[in-house]
Each structure stands twice: as structure tokens, then as C-alpha cells.
Amino acid sequence: MNNFTYYTPTKVFFGKGVEEQVGPTLRDAGFKKVLIHFGGGSVRKSGLMDKVEKSLQATGIEFVSLGNVAPNPKISLVREGIDLAKREDVDMIVAVGGGSVIDSAKAIGLGLSHGKDPWTMIEEKQQPTKSFPLTAVLTISAAGSEMSHSDVITNSDKQLKRSVNSDLLRPLFAFENPEYTSTVSPYQTACGIVDTMMHTLERYLTPDTDTELIDRLSEAILVSVKNAGRQAIKNPEDYEARATLMWASSLSHNGLTGCGKKATFPAHKIEHDISGLHDEVSHGAGLAVVFPAWARYIYTYDVRKFAQLANRVWKVDMDHDHPERTALEGIESMTRYFAEIGMPTTMQELGIDPSEFEMLAEMTTDGGAHPLPSYVPLGKKEIIEIYRLAEK
Ligand code: NZQ
Ligand code: ZN
């Protein structure tokens, strides 16, 4: 196991009714005026926003609101948020929504704490040196941004989606009531299932020393998400299934499954350029296509680990004489599972034409200058081969 630092400062309130603790928690922590940030309206329809606003009012915390965060959140709205937060002199941002809303709030916080344009910081890879207090009231199990150190933002003018990672971006508080996720559509639920699995899988499949404990923790998350995912798609109101998915989304991306590992997230980097260029592509749907293709391309470099995954998570019988067959069957089982829950599994289904492969691979590798680290470096040629493995 490699040396590691584990830092998860987010205080999580989990379960039925926790949204009523938003006001008292913020008051006790000394906050006076907040910016409530939200998306396209699901939080008003579900009644969650009403609960959060009432909880703030009851504790004398003032608020201003900014909605309309779109999936694949845009830097243009972030800039509006920074102006509003400055004008209103808020001391905390409360993001009520999913990964897109939380990431937009993180970027607003980045701008407020550094006095700089967050896109410039992200594009120039300037590491944050300060944090701005952030609360996440989570409504969808997926990105894990409620506890993660990442912020992913899209610049529509440049058709680029880029991320920044820093412990300073982890929210102070997260409120997670699984009941509010029962209104998430089957498609978005499936996108969330895939993304949660990926945050664990991209850490699980790395060329590291053996980490038995972390492997077993990761496999527990993956099996639980696989089973709860099926349940939640079949019965959206299944509280236990929704609760499993919600806590798994946080555990998958709060660093736990990366302890002692050096994860490089190649499938995520490849996917971010797809949803950056094609705004209509949801991150989880993009991953459902890219990850199995990456796995088919790479599994021969770590047959033992891919076979272990196939056996323990996808319940494929271990073929000790031909572990590569077990490994490959595991990848096929995973792909069938994604199709079963309604995810695309080919570039064609995502609406990406082969004529775009070259440009996408250029974007991901900065014109070929920066191959992605993985079991072997993935340059333009290799990424195009991965696309071809998922072409149709
Ligand atoms: O905008 P509203 O009306 O709220 O609708 C949203 C949106 O259309 C809807 N939704 C959310 N909660 C709902 C609901 N609909 C009904 N009932 C509810 N309770 O779901 C749609 C998708 O929401 P979004 O926030 O975009 O989903 P998700 O949480 O999957 O976030 C995706 C974004 O997170 C980034 C992705 O790249 C993408 O931009 N990621 C962020 C990460 C991080 N910060 O750590 C890591 C991830 O790997 C990922 O890259
Ligand atoms: Zn992800």
C-alpha cells in the first residue's frame, strides 16, 4: 500500500428529514447570509427548496437565490453567481441539487475566495489556496461532489469541460435525504449508477501494489450499487435502494476507495471531452460507453485484477487456466448491465460520429502533447482505438 493522506472534512447529515437541520447547523456555525444555488426547477417541484428556505428563515439566516444551473454547468452562470454573491455579501453558498449545482457553487466559491476568474484558474491549472464555505443539499446520487475534492466546469464558448482538484473544494456540510431522489428519472438514475461505479472502478483498476482492504471495500460498493441500482430502476420509491445509492455516491468519490492508490481517471478524462463538445451527453452515459471500451483495450495489462473484478462483482466463474477469458467476460457482463438499466453502450448511441474521433482525441491529449497516464500511456492513436472499440 502506498503512503496516503486521507482528508474528508465534510460533515454529513444523512436520512429522512435532514434538510430541516440546514438552518440550525448553519446558524450554530456562525453563518449569517447565504446564496442558495439550484438547477432547473426539480427542487421547487419536490418541495425540498421550500423546506430549506423555511429552515433558514426559522433561524434568522438571510438568503438570496440563483437558479438555472444546467447539467454540465457553465462558467457564464458561475460569473453571474460571483457578482451576486459579492453584491449581497454572502458568507456561505448552499447548493441544492446534484453534481452540476454543487460544482457551479464550488466555482463561485473559487472566484470569491481568490478574486480571480475561476475559468482562468482552471484552464491555467492554478491550484486553489483558499476555500469558501459551501453546503450541499443533495438531490441525486451520482457525481459525489457533495464530498469530493473536484470541480468540473464547462466553457460553452470554447466547448471545453475542465476540472480542478483540491481539498479546499470539499463542502463543509452535506445534507442527504434519499427520499428526494425518488423523483430522479430512470435515465438519470442509471447515469448516476454508472458514475458512482466509475469513481470506485477508476481507483480499483490502477497499476498499483495490492491493496486487499481497499479492493474488498470497493467490491462491496460495486456489488451494492449494482443490486440497489436494479431495485431503484424497478421501483423508484424503494427507500433502502435509494439510500444505498446515495451513500455509495459519496463514499465512491470522497477518497476512501483511493487510499494507497494512484488513480489517474483515464475514462473520466476521455468522457469529459465528449460531454464538453456534446452538451446533450450526460456524464454517466458517456462513461457507460467509454469505460467498457477502455477496459477492453487495457485488460491484458492486468488480467489478474480484471478477472478478480469479474468474479467478485459480476459473478463470472473464475477460469484459472484462462483468466483472460474471465476478465473479458466480466467486461461483457458490465456492458450488459449498463444496457439493462437503459444506458447507451456505443458511440453511435451517444450520437458521436466517427469523423469526430480525431478531434476528440486531440482535445483530450492537448494535441497529442499530453498522453493520458494509465497502465500504458494513452496518446491520440490509443484513444482513437478505444473509441473504435465502442463505435457501434
Ligand atoms: O436541474 P434540475 O431541475 O434539478 O434537474 C436535474 C438535471 O436535469 C435532475 N435532477 C437532479 N435531482 C433531481 C433531478 N430530477 C428530479 N428529481 C431530483 N431529485 O437531474 C439532471 C442531472 O443533474 P446533474 O446535477 O447534472 O447530475 P449529476 O449529479 O450527475 O452531475 C453531473 C455533473 O457532475 C460532474 C459531471 O461531469 C457533470 O458535469 N462531475 C462532478 C464530479 C465532482 N465534482 O466530483 C465528479 C464526476 O466525475 C463528474 O465529472
Ligand atoms: Zn464521474
Side-chain angles (χ1 to χ4, degrees), residues 272-291:
H272 280 164
D273 285 318
I274 294 178
S275 49
L277 192 64
H278 284 267
D279 198 36
E280 72 285 3
V281 172
S282 292
H283 172 61
L287 286 171
V289 174
V290 169
F291 185 84

PDB file of all heavy atoms in Angstrom, residues 272-291:
ATOM      1  N   HIS A 272     -14.979  13.517 -20.338  1.00  0.00           N
ATOM      2  CA  HIS A 272     -15.230  14.953 -20.142  1.00  0.00           C
ATOM      3  C   HIS A 272     -15.174  15.713 -21.467  1.00  0.00           C
ATOM      4  O   HIS A 272     -15.938  16.662 -21.680  1.00  0.00           O
ATOM      5  CB  HIS A 272     -14.239  15.550 -19.136  1.00  0.00           C
ATOM      6  CG  HIS A 272     -14.617  15.271 -17.709  1.00  0.00           C
ATOM      7  ND1 HIS A 272     -13.750  15.421 -16.658  1.00  0.00           N
ATOM      8  CD2 HIS A 272     -15.781  14.870 -17.159  1.00  0.00           C
ATOM      9  CE1 HIS A 272     -14.362  15.095 -15.523  1.00  0.00           C
ATOM     10  NE2 HIS A 272     -15.593  14.762 -15.801  1.00  0.00           N
ATOM     11  N   ASP A 273     -14.303  15.291 -22.366  1.00  0.00           N
ATOM     12  CA  ASP A 273     -14.251  15.989 -23.658  1.00  0.00           C
ATOM     13  C   ASP A 273     -15.464  15.663 -24.523  1.00  0.00           C
ATOM     14  O   ASP A 273     -15.904  16.505 -25.310  1.00  0.00           O
ATOM     15  CB  ASP A 273     -12.941  15.681 -24.379  1.00  0.00           C
ATOM     16  CG  ASP A 273     -11.799  16.453 -23.732  1.00  0.00           C
ATOM     17  OD1 ASP A 273     -12.008  17.645 -23.414  1.00  0.00           O
ATOM     18  OD2 ASP A 273     -10.736  15.873 -23.490  1.00  0.00           O
ATOM     19  N   ILE A 274     -16.019  14.460 -24.338  1.00  0.00           N
ATOM     20  CA  ILE A 274     -17.242  14.125 -25.088  1.00  0.00           C
ATOM     21  C   ILE A 274     -18.397  15.006 -24.616  1.00  0.00           C
ATOM     22  O   ILE A 274     -19.076  15.653 -25.424  1.00  0.00           O
ATOM     23  CB  ILE A 274     -17.597  12.628 -24.920  1.00  0.00           C
ATOM     24  CG1 ILE A 274     -16.510  11.759 -25.572  1.00  0.00           C
ATOM     25  CG2 ILE A 274     -18.970  12.325 -25.513  1.00  0.00           C
ATOM     26  CD1 ILE A 274     -16.722  10.266 -25.423  1.00  0.00           C
ATOM     27  N   SER A 275     -18.612  15.093 -23.295  1.00  0.00           N
ATOM     28  CA  SER A 275     -19.747  15.916 -22.832  1.00  0.00           C
ATOM     29  C   SER A 275     -19.429  17.418 -22.910  1.00  0.00           C
ATOM     30  O   SER A 275     -20.342  18.245 -22.900  1.00  0.00           O
ATOM     31  CB  SER A 275     -20.234  15.496 -21.433  1.00  0.00           C
ATOM     32  OG  SER A 275     -19.203  15.375 -20.519  1.00  0.00           O
ATOM     33  N   GLY A 276     -18.136  17.768 -23.011  1.00  0.00           N
ATOM     34  CA  GLY A 276     -17.777  19.169 -23.246  1.00  0.00           C
ATOM     35  C   GLY A 276     -18.180  19.592 -24.655  1.00  0.00           C
ATOM     36  O   GLY A 276     -18.719  20.674 -24.880  1.00  0.00           O
ATOM     37  N   LEU A 277     -17.933  18.694 -25.614  1.00  0.00           N
ATOM     38  CA  LEU A 277     -18.243  19.007 -27.016  1.00  0.00           C
ATOM     39  C   LEU A 277     -19.729  18.787 -27.302  1.00  0.00           C
ATOM     40  O   LEU A 277     -20.344  19.534 -28.054  1.00  0.00           O
ATOM     41  CB  LEU A 277     -17.396  18.094 -27.927  1.00  0.00           C
ATOM     42  CG  LEU A 277     -17.362  18.434 -29.398  1.00  0.00           C
ATOM     43  CD1 LEU A 277     -16.713  19.795 -29.620  1.00  0.00           C
ATOM     44  CD2 LEU A 277     -16.582  17.369 -30.171  1.00  0.00           C
ATOM     45  N   HIS A 278     -20.297  17.748 -26.682  1.00  0.00           N
ATOM     46  CA  HIS A 278     -21.712  17.419 -26.900  1.00  0.00           C
ATOM     47  C   HIS A 278     -22.467  17.651 -25.598  1.00  0.00           C
ATOM     48  O   HIS A 278     -22.576  16.751 -24.770  1.00  0.00           O
ATOM     49  CB  HIS A 278     -21.858  15.948 -27.336  1.00  0.00           C
ATOM     50  CG  HIS A 278     -21.481  15.723 -28.754  1.00  0.00           C
ATOM     51  ND1 HIS A 278     -22.390  15.760 -29.777  1.00  0.00           N
ATOM     52  CD2 HIS A 278     -20.281  15.477 -29.325  1.00  0.00           C
ATOM     53  CE1 HIS A 278     -21.760  15.543 -30.923  1.00  0.00           C
ATOM     54  NE2 HIS A 278     -20.485  15.366 -30.669  1.00  0.00           N
ATOM     55  N   ASP A 279     -22.994  18.849 -25.445  1.00  0.00           N
ATOM     56  CA  ASP A 279     -23.634  19.241 -24.195  1.00  0.00           C
ATOM     57  C   ASP A 279     -24.800  18.325 -23.822  1.00  0.00           C
ATOM     58  O   ASP A 279     -25.162  18.194 -22.659  1.00  0.00           O
ATOM     59  CB  ASP A 279     -24.119  20.697 -24.327  1.00  0.00           C
ATOM     60  CG  ASP A 279     -24.392  21.317 -22.975  1.00  0.00           C
ATOM     61  OD1 ASP A 279     -23.647  21.006 -22.031  1.00  0.00           O
ATOM     62  OD2 ASP A 279     -25.376  22.078 -22.861  1.00  0.00           O
ATOM     63  N   GLU A 280     -25.405  17.691 -24.849  1.00  0.00           N
ATOM     64  CA  GLU A 280     -26.570  16.837 -24.588  1.00  0.00           C
ATOM     65  C   GLU A 280     -26.171  15.500 -23.952  1.00  0.00           C
ATOM     66  O   GLU A 280     -27.030  14.755 -23.469  1.00  0.00           O
ATOM     67  CB  GLU A 280     -27.364  16.593 -25.889  1.00  0.00           C
ATOM     68  CG  GLU A 280     -26.704  15.654 -26.914  1.00  0.00           C
ATOM     69  CD  GLU A 280     -25.524  16.268 -27.690  1.00  0.00           C
ATOM     70  OE1 GLU A 280     -25.140  17.423 -27.412  1.00  0.00           O
ATOM     71  OE2 GLU A 280     -24.961  15.573 -28.571  1.00  0.00           O
ATOM     72  N   VAL A 281     -24.879  15.194 -23.921  1.00  0.00           N
ATOM     73  CA  VAL A 281     -24.434  13.913 -23.346  1.00  0.00           C
ATOM     74  C   VAL A 281     -24.259  14.063 -21.839  1.00  0.00           C
ATOM     75  O   VAL A 281     -23.526  14.921 -21.368  1.00  0.00           O
ATOM     76  CB  VAL A 281     -23.094  13.450 -23.989  1.00  0.00           C
ATOM     77  CG1 VAL A 281     -22.536  12.229 -23.262  1.00  0.00           C
ATOM     78  CG2 VAL A 281     -23.291  13.143 -25.473  1.00  0.00           C
ATOM     79  N   SER A 282     -24.956  13.209 -21.072  1.00  0.00           N
ATOM     80  CA  SER A 282     -24.770  13.196 -19.623  1.00  0.00           C
ATOM     81  C   SER A 282     -23.483  12.450 -19.304  1.00  0.00           C
ATOM     82  O   SER A 282     -23.161  11.444 -19.955  1.00  0.00           O
ATOM     83  CB  SER A 282     -25.929  12.472 -18.930  1.00  0.00           C
ATOM     84  OG  SER A 282     -27.106  13.215 -19.073  1.00  0.00           O
ATOM     85  N   HIS A 283     -22.800  12.939 -18.265  1.00  0.00           N
ATOM     86  CA  HIS A 283     -21.501  12.369 -17.881  1.00  0.00           C
ATOM     87  C   HIS A 283     -21.581  10.850 -17.694  1.00  0.00           C
ATOM     88  O   HIS A 283     -20.754  10.091 -18.236  1.00  0.00           O
ATOM     89  CB  HIS A 283     -21.061  13.077 -16.596  1.00  0.00           C
ATOM     90  CG  HIS A 283     -19.851  12.516 -15.948  1.00  0.00           C
ATOM     91  ND1 HIS A 283     -18.626  12.468 -16.563  1.00  0.00           N
ATOM     92  CD2 HIS A 283     -19.674  11.967 -14.710  1.00  0.00           C
ATOM     93  CE1 HIS A 283     -17.739  11.928 -15.738  1.00  0.00           C
ATOM     94  NE2 HIS A 283     -18.353  11.614 -14.608  1.00  0.00           N
ATOM     95  N   GLY A 284     -22.593  10.377 -16.968  1.00  0.00           N
ATOM     96  CA  GLY A 284     -22.717   8.938 -16.697  1.00  0.00           C
ATOM     97  C   GLY A 284     -22.940   8.138 -17.967  1.00  0.00           C
ATOM     98  O   GLY A 284     -22.388   7.036 -18.140  1.00  0.00           O
ATOM     99  N   ALA A 285     -23.732   8.679 -18.893  1.00  0.00           N
ATOM    100  CA  ALA A 285     -23.999   7.993 -20.159  1.00  0.00           C
ATOM    101  C   ALA A 285     -22.714   7.898 -20.983  1.00  0.00           C
ATOM    102  O   ALA A 285     -22.420   6.861 -21.592  1.00  0.00           O
ATOM    103  CB  ALA A 285     -25.092   8.731 -20.935  1.00  0.00           C
ATOM    104  N   GLY A 286     -21.943   8.968 -20.982  1.00  0.00           N
ATOM    105  CA  GLY A 286     -20.660   8.956 -21.697  1.00  0.00           C
ATOM    106  C   GLY A 286     -19.726   7.895 -21.117  1.00  0.00           C
ATOM    107  O   GLY A 286     -19.062   7.149 -21.854  1.00  0.00           O
ATOM    108  N   LEU A 287     -19.711   7.802 -19.800  1.00  0.00           N
ATOM    109  CA  LEU A 287     -18.843   6.810 -19.147  1.00  0.00           C
ATOM    110  C   LEU A 287     -19.284   5.377 -19.453  1.00  0.00           C
ATOM    111  O   LEU A 287     -18.447   4.477 -19.551  1.00  0.00           O
ATOM    112  CB  LEU A 287     -18.854   7.018 -17.629  1.00  0.00           C
ATOM    113  CG  LEU A 287     -18.066   8.218 -17.110  1.00  0.00           C
ATOM    114  CD1 LEU A 287     -18.350   8.421 -15.621  1.00  0.00           C
ATOM    115  CD2 LEU A 287     -16.569   8.034 -17.328  1.00  0.00           C
ATOM    116  N   ALA A 288     -20.607   5.168 -19.586  1.00  0.00           N
ATOM    117  CA  ALA A 288     -21.111   3.815 -19.876  1.00  0.00           C
ATOM    118  C   ALA A 288     -20.589   3.317 -21.228  1.00  0.00           C
ATOM    119  O   ALA A 288     -20.503   2.115 -21.465  1.00  0.00           O
ATOM    120  CB  ALA A 288     -22.640   3.805 -19.864  1.00  0.00           C
ATOM    121  N   VAL A 289     -20.248   4.257 -22.099  1.00  0.00           N
ATOM    122  CA  VAL A 289     -19.680   3.899 -23.399  1.00  0.00           C
ATOM    123  C   VAL A 289     -18.148   3.795 -23.321  1.00  0.00           C
ATOM    124  O   VAL A 289     -17.539   2.825 -23.774  1.00  0.00           O
ATOM    125  CB  VAL A 289     -20.074   4.953 -24.468  1.00  0.00           C
ATOM    126  CG1 VAL A 289     -19.368   4.686 -25.786  1.00  0.00           C
ATOM    127  CG2 VAL A 289     -21.597   4.971 -24.645  1.00  0.00           C
ATOM    128  N   VAL A 290     -17.533   4.818 -22.716  1.00  0.00           N
ATOM    129  CA  VAL A 290     -16.066   4.904 -22.744  1.00  0.00           C
ATOM    130  C   VAL A 290     -15.405   3.839 -21.864  1.00  0.00           C
ATOM    131  O   VAL A 290     -14.419   3.201 -22.275  1.00  0.00           O
ATOM    132  CB  VAL A 290     -15.612   6.318 -22.279  1.00  0.00           C
ATOM    133  CG1 VAL A 290     -14.110   6.350 -22.028  1.00  0.00           C
ATOM    134  CG2 VAL A 290     -16.017   7.372 -23.292  1.00  0.00           C
ATOM    135  N   PHE A 291     -15.931   3.636 -20.650  1.00  0.00           N
ATOM    136  CA  PHE A 291     -15.222   2.767 -19.713  1.00  0.00           C
ATOM    137  C   PHE A 291     -15.091   1.319 -20.210  1.00  0.00           C
ATOM    138  O   PHE A 291     -13.988   0.756 -20.186  1.00  0.00           O
ATOM    139  CB  PHE A 291     -15.844   2.819 -18.315  1.00  0.00           C
ATOM    140  CG  PHE A 291     -15.055   2.037 -17.306  1.00  0.00           C
ATOM    141  CD1 PHE A 291     -13.958   2.606 -16.665  1.00  0.00           C
ATOM    142  CD2 PHE A 291     -15.367   0.717 -17.035  1.00  0.00           C
ATOM    143  CE1 PHE A 291     -13.192   1.874 -15.769  1.00  0.00           C
ATOM    144  CE2 PHE A 291     -14.604  -0.029 -16.133  1.00  0.00           C
ATOM    145  CZ  PHE A 291     -13.524   0.555 -15.497  1.00  0.00           C
TER     146      PHE A 291
END
